[in-house]
């Protein structure tokens, strides 16, 4: 998956612009004429159609009104809101700390029946121990200059893990082997986290696959992503959170997840990789 989160946003903006252009063309209006009718400079019409400038809701209403397409206003405005919500800066999400953002995920987690989770370099939050979460969140806060409310954030993260133990939720999780070996704290903390991962993998609702580092790959690694049922995909980058809701793009991530899953090992083979990572932690300490 080669496209970046920001490029996905730009593609969505361009798709919205193309839809508006199609409405204009079908109405038989030139960009200059439509701009005049809307009281906008013709260049703005062109910038909107090419995805350079996002339209406002008022732009969409005027555009569709002058093109005789008022029946499309609600759908177009909904598409605009989806594009606007796709890319949210981490600083905005966490300006008062991380506790609120952790708690805000609970309704989504509670209504999701199938989680498909891919992580290349970290243990997913739903399967983290308090010590692992505390260390990871602390480093994220320090790196991004986020107010330090890690104890409250860890408590909120642990609270939302109740979906793993209750309700009709299923979890298909694919990790790169590197996620088992990526040290973010002490060997003791990492060993505890990996032991917890073995335990969680035994739950009937959890399918854990691990992609060995030395496998002959058919799909390249990508940024971590979570698929919530068939409704949305979420990706966290160092600076922002990307939400994808367009069915066409969700399908791409679903295909990617299936391909990654086909490279993973499960059951005893997966436990062997985790156990090897735990044993190597002891070897590192002895060394």
């Amino acid at each position: 998956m080669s496209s970046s989160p920001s490029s996905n946003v730009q593609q969505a903006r361009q798709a919205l612009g193309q839809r508006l252009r199609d409405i204009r063309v079908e109405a038989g209006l030139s960009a200059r004429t439509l701009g005049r009718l809307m009281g906008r400079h013709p260049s703005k019409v062109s910038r909107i159609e090419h995805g350079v400038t996002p339209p406002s809701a008022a732009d969409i209403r005027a555009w569709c009104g002058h093109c005789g397409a008022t029946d499309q206003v609600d759908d177009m405005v909904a598409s605009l809101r989806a594009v606007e919500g796709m890319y949210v800066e981490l600083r905005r999400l966490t300006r008062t700390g991380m506790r609120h953002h952790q708690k805000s995920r609970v309704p989504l987690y509670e209504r999701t029946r199938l989680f498909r989770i891919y992580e290349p370099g970290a243990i997913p939050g739903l399967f983290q121990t308090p010590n692992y979460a505390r260390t990871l969140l602390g480093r994220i806060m320090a790196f991004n200059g986020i107010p330090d409310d890690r104890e409250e954030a860890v408590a909120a993260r642990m609270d939302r893990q109740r979906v793993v133990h209750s309700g009709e939720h299923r979890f298909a999780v694919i990790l790169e082997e590197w996620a088992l070996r990526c040290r973010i704290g002490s060997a003791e903390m990492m060993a505890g986290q990996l032991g917890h991962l073995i335990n969680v993998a035994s739950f009937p609702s959890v399918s854990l696959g691990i992609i060995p580092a030395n496998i002959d790959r058919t799909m390249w690694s990508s940024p971590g992503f979570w698929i919530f049922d068939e409704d949305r995909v979420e990706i966290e980058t160092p600076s922002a959170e990307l939400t994808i809701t367009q069915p066409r793009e969700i399908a791409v991530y679903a295909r990617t997840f299936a391909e990654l899953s086909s490279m993973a090992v499960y059951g005893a083979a997966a436990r062997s990789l985790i156990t090897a990572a735990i044993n190597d932690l002891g070897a590192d300490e002895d060394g």
Side-chain angles (χ1 to χ4, degrees):
M1 193 177 306
S2 59
S3 57
S4 67
S6 59
S7 70
N8 278 308
V9 176
Q10 181 59 27
Q11 289 167 11
R13 186 178 291 170
Q14 290 170 344
L16 178 60
Q18 181 61 49
R19 290 177 63 190
L20 288 168
R21 181 182 184 279
D22 291 344
I23 289 173
R24 174 182 64 77
V25 171
E26 187 172 340
L29 297 178
S30 67
R32 181 177 296 277
T33 299
L34 179 59
R36 177 175 54 79
L37 291 171
M38 292 174 59
R40 310 289 196 273
H41 195 279
S43 64
K44 181 172 184 179
V45 172
S46 178
R47 292 197 301 273
I48 289 174
E49 291 183 348
H50 288 87
V52 176
T53 299
S56 65
D59 288 332
I60 289 175
R61 294 188 183 96
W63 191 298
C64 292
H66 290 297
C67 292
T70 54
D71 60 319
Q72 297 194 48
V73 169
D74 289 346
D75 183 62
M76 297 296 291
V77 171
S79 295
L80 172 65
R81 298 299 183 227
V83 173
E84 290 175 340
M86 284 179 70
Y87 196 75
V88 183
E89 289 185 7
L90 184 63
R91 188 173 297 276
R92 283 177 52 195
L93 291 171
T94 59
R95 58 181 176 271
T96 60
M98 296 192 72
R99 172 181 174 273
H100 174 73
H101 182 50
Q102 297 294 310
K103 290 180 70 67
S104 71
R105 319 303 293 142
V106 171
L108 172 62
Y109 284 30
E110 289 182 338
R111 68 174 179 264
T112 298
R113 289 296 172 262
L114 174 61
F115 294 76
R116 282 170 286 180
I117 302 168
Y118 167 71
E119 290 289 355
I123 306 302
L126 284 175
F127 308 120
Q128 292 175 4
T129 64
N131 285 337
Y132 184 97
R134 185 175 295 108
T135 303
L136 181 61
L137 292 175
R139 296 193 176 184
I140 292 172
M141 291 171 180
F143 181 80
N144 290 285
I146 297 169
D148 190 343
D149 64 343
R150 78 184 70 184
E151 293 307 321
E152 294 85 353
V154 169
R157 176 163 288 193
M158 295 302 105
D159 178 63
R160 72 187 190 189
Q161 288 182 0
R162 65 178 183 268
V163 298
V164 180
H165 307 280
S166 62
E168 299 178 357
H169 308 282
R170 293 181 295 126
F171 306 87
V173 183
I174 302 297
L175 304 179
E176 299 284 350
E177 185 179 355
W178 170 242
L180 310 177
R181 297 177 174 276
C182 184
R183 285 275 297 270
I184 64 166
S186 70
E188 181 181 10
M189 182 275 289
M190 287 297 302
Q193 173 60 73
L194 295 177
H196 178 66
L197 186 62
I198 291 176
N199 180 54
V200 173
S202 69
F203 294 177
S205 60
V206 176
S207 169
L208 175 65
I210 298 173
I211 301 175
N214 61 354
I215 196 170
D216 184 10
R217 303 185 71 99
T218 59
M219 170 62 67
W220 53 93
S221 61
S222 83
F225 61 88
W226 291 44
I227 308 175
F228 298 86
D229 290 327
E230 304 296 333
D231 300 330
R232 64 197 287 166
V233 177
E234 292 193 353
I235 307 163
E236 288 190 2
T237 76
S239 63
E241 183 176 277
L242 174 68
T243 300
I244 292 171
T245 56
Q246 292 181 327
R248 182 181 66 255
E249 290 197 63
I250 293 173
V252 172
Y253 280 89
R255 285 187 5 242
T256 300
F257 187 84
E259 190 69 33
L260 291 165
S261 299
S262 71
M263 298 187 297
V265 297
Y266 300 85
R271 289 193 296 273
S272 293
L273 289 176
I274 301 173
T275 301
I278 294 173
N279 291 338
D280 286 347
L281 287 169
D284 290 343
E285 290 294 292
D286 293 340

